[in-house]
Amino acid sequence: MTTPRFTITRHFAAPRERVWAAWTQPEQLARWFGPKGSAGTILAFDPRPGGEWRGRMETPDGATMFSKFVFREVTPPSRLVWVHGFADAAGNRIRAPFAAQFPLELLTTVDFAEDGAGTRITLAWEPLDASPEEEAFFASMMASMEGGWSGSFEQLDALLV
């Protein structure tokens, strides 16, 4: 079986350097990153290979979730790559609070390309070291991932105006 890969592409009507800043400056990230209706806080942000990005998210139903991302590649202003996963409040890796069968870690790749007067983002997620059951569950979640990222990108659009 081929590892499933989720990909989403979006055009933003802003220069690439402006879009890059929205992804790499914690005060901007906190304003748009996450599902619509959620509130996010950046707890740590060290954008270099091996550096961590840790966050807390409060959902509309009152739940709190923590994340920990570890950067693998930071190539301004064209590419970010990190290992993506959930964490406890102390930053220790845990299973997704919404589904134990979700892969423990995902490889996230975000490419930033000049596109006319704007920027095209291509984001890809793929499970890392996942079991066949985790990969199948990940594949079954693609419509939900599309909706979640689309909502985040709408918030990013509003920030970039």
Side-chain angles (χ1 to χ4, degrees):
M1 176 177 163
T2 304
T3 300
R5 181 179 172 102
F6 169 78
T7 304
I8 187 169
T9 300
R10 179 81 176 248
H11 179 270
F12 296 94
R16 184 166 65 161
E17 290 74 19
R18 173 73 182 100
V19 178
W20 176 264
W23 282 80
T24 58
Q25 294 177 1
E27 63 279 1
Q28 292 190 55
L29 261 176
R31 293 176 54 198
W32 71 268
F33 192 86
K36 274 187 160 180
S38 64
T41 303
I42 306 297
L43 302 172
F45 194 79
D46 183 7
R48 62 181 174 82
E52 289 185 4
W53 164 7
R54 291 191 310 108
R56 179 179 62 237
M57 181 177 63
E58 290 84 26
T59 63
D61 64 3
T64 299
M65 291 186 276
F66 293 89
S67 59
K68 177 175 136 180
F69 309 152
V70 180
F71 288 103
R72 285 193 173 176
E73 181 182 342
V74 178
T75 308
S78 61
R79 182 173 248 223
L80 292 169
V81 179
W82 68 80
V83 175
H84 187 113
F86 291 91
D88 63 18
N92 301 302
R93 182 70 72 219
I94 63 167
R95 290 272 167 199
F98 56 85
Q101 60 273 53
F102 196 78
L104 186 62
E105 295 181 322
L106 305 174
L107 182 65
T108 304
T109 303
V110 186
D111 289 308
F112 301 74
E114 292 179 356
D115 188 12
T119 304
R120 183 180 65 255
I121 293 283
T122 302
L123 180 140
W125 260 356
E126 52 191 296
L128 287 174
D129 301 318
S131 70
E133 294 77 20
E134 290 169 336
E135 288 183 351
F137 186 80
F138 177 84
S140 79
M141 296 285 296
M142 297 239 185
S144 176
M145 291 181 247
E146 177 87 25
W149 277 109
S150 293
S152 290
F153 288 163
E154 288 174 21
Q155 295 172 142
L156 177 54
D157 260 335
L159 174 70
L160 294 171
V161 172

